[in-house]
Amino acid sequence: MTASFTRRSLLSLAGVAGIGVAVAACSRGDDASPGVSSRAGGEPSGAPSSGSSSRAVASSITPAQVPLAGGVTVTVTGSGLAAVRGVTVGGIAARDVEASATKVTFTAPHQAMYTAGSADVALFTSAIEPSPSANQSSDGNGSAANDGQAGATQDQATADPTPTAAPTPDASTAVATASVAYAALTDVDRQLEYAMRHWKDYNLAEYGTMNPIGGDCANYVSQTLIARGWEQRDDWYSRSAGAQHSATWTYCPAMDPWMTANAATFGLTRRSLDERGKVKVGDIVFYDWNANRSPDHVTIVSEVFTEPDGTVRIKSASHNQDGPYRDLDEMITVQHPGGTAWFHTFDA
């Protein structure tokens, strides 16, 4: 997360209330107004040391509230903004940054762990290359080995690492800052908010765990779909903390054909691995480790990341192994050599 600023007032309340936040990089510390940050000596970080009186000032930001999944255009208005080339939101690099003297626009990234709250918006004079989210792992619920992996796990040194860019700069070096509030505004937000809350802290009270009978991956995915707005049915259910459940809720080989049969009802489209360019956050991924056309594992897409060369990387939240950002390609090449995957994508 970003570091604190000298003479910086709290911005989170204004962001949550939907009020534009005035911020600036001012000429001298003695001249700074409340809610303003300035660099030692009065020069904003990254600015020319020519003694120019021009300073980057961010006077408002819209919208003040953005979805947890990001993807919306955010506009910062002010003055002296023409030199802005990079933006971070909560320490995550934004894409599509464009700047003029009075305005900076960018596409908001998803909140790092899909958690509601205030986030710093920091403006920089250097471009910042986005990088994919790093995975974590946990076996606190006894699920680390239950997806039957044959190769290295993603948190081991022998795994093929996901390419990453240089760390994002600290917000204390920004030429101007503002604040937005992340909130669960959509069905996908609520789905991923739940997925991140329970990727390692299982919701045992409501749904129990299926690890003792083979693995909890389908149980977890079903729970995220309830958070998205689905309702239990006679042919898809979990009751009494998981003591009673349908195979379609907890068992991959039953869940996959059931989704295909009910695709029109749920607004789903089944897609092959080479259609990953049409995959979105919240979509469902099934995996076949041994090429027998029967799924062995299922996850929820938590990030779709496009590399500079156009390669689309799919990250997923899952149980068995437990992780928030497991990389699809690592799963079917390093962990399960020869494996494959397919998707059930939401039409809207």
Side-chain angles (χ1 to χ4, degrees), residues 11-93:
L11 301 172
S12 60
L13 293 177
V16 171
I19 301 172
V21 180
V23 292
C26 293
S27 57
R28 301 291 299 180
D30 294 340
D31 298 330
S33 302
V36 170
S37 64
S38 62
R39 184 170 172 249
E43 284 291 342
S45 174
S49 57
S50 61
S52 168
S53 60
S54 176
R55 296 293 183 268
V57 177
S59 57
S60 67
I61 184 167
T62 55
Q65 189 177 68
V66 298
L68 296 179
V72 299
T73 299
V74 177
T75 301
V76 177
T77 57
S79 60
L81 302 176
V84 172
R85 296 292 179 268
V87 176
T88 61
V89 185
I92 307 299

Side-chain angles (χ1 to χ4, degrees), residues 71-164:
V72 299
T73 299
V74 177
T75 301
V76 177
T77 57
S79 60
L81 302 176
V84 172
R85 296 292 179 268
V87 176
T88 61
V89 185
I92 307 299
R95 294 183 184 268
D96 311 316
V97 177
E98 296 185 5
S100 68
T102 59
K103 182 170 67 175
V104 175
T105 61
F106 59 89
T107 300
H110 69 79
Q111 203 281 334
M113 292 299 291
Y114 292 90
T115 303
S118 180
D120 292 326
V121 176
L123 311 182
F124 301 90
T125 56
S126 298
I128 304 168
E129 189 68 36
S131 59
S133 296
N135 189 45
Q136 306 171 47
S137 63
S138 170
D139 62 358
N141 290 279
S143 67
N146 284 349
D147 75 349
Q149 71 273 11
T153 61
Q154 289 184 32
D155 58 343
Q156 293 176 330
T158 52
D160 184 21
T162 299
T164 57

Side-chain angles (χ1 to χ4, degrees), residues 194-339:
Y194 182 96
M196 291 302 173
R197 184 185 304 130
H198 294 293
W199 72 266
K200 66 176 177 178
D201 296 321
Y202 283 29
N203 188 354
L204 299 174
E206 287 190 80
Y207 300 107
T209 174
M210 301 299 124
N211 283 329
I213 60 172
D216 199 62
C217 62
N219 182 31
Y220 172 68
V221 167
S222 292
Q223 293 170 43
T224 73
L225 295 173
I226 291 292
R228 185 180 178 122
W230 287 26
E231 296 181 354
Q232 295 191 36
R233 308 171 8 147
D234 290 342
D235 59 351
W236 182 70
Y237 62 86
S238 175
R239 305 181 184 120
S240 304
Q244 301 174 36
H245 55 264
S246 64
T248 55
W249 181 285
T250 61
Y251 185 49
C252 291
M255 176 184 277
D256 177 48
W258 174 79
M259 286 186 173
T260 299
N262 291 279
T265 299
F266 298 132
L268 295 173
T269 298
R270 185 186 176 103
R271 299 189 186 278
S272 62
L273 186 60
D274 61 4
E275 294 181 280
R276 65 175 66 196
K278 298 180 180 179
V279 173
K280 308 176 296 300
V281 168
D283 288 343
I284 303 155
V285 194
F286 282 93
Y287 305 80
D288 178 3
W289 302 145
N290 52 10
N292 67 353
R293 299 185 179 181
S294 178
D296 301 288
H297 191 45
V298 62
T299 67
I300 285 293
V301 175
S302 53
E303 182 175 81
V304 179
F305 185 89
T306 303
E307 300 282 1
D309 65 359
T311 299
V312 177
R313 306 186 70 86
I314 305 295
K315 297 294 192 89
S316 292
S318 76
H319 287 176
N320 323 113
Q321 301 164 3
D322 300 344
Y325 291 109
R326 299 179 68 194
D327 187 275
L328 182 154
D329 291 301
E330 291 181 9
M331 292 168 72
I332 63 176
T333 59
V334 177
Q335 294 183 276
H336 303 276

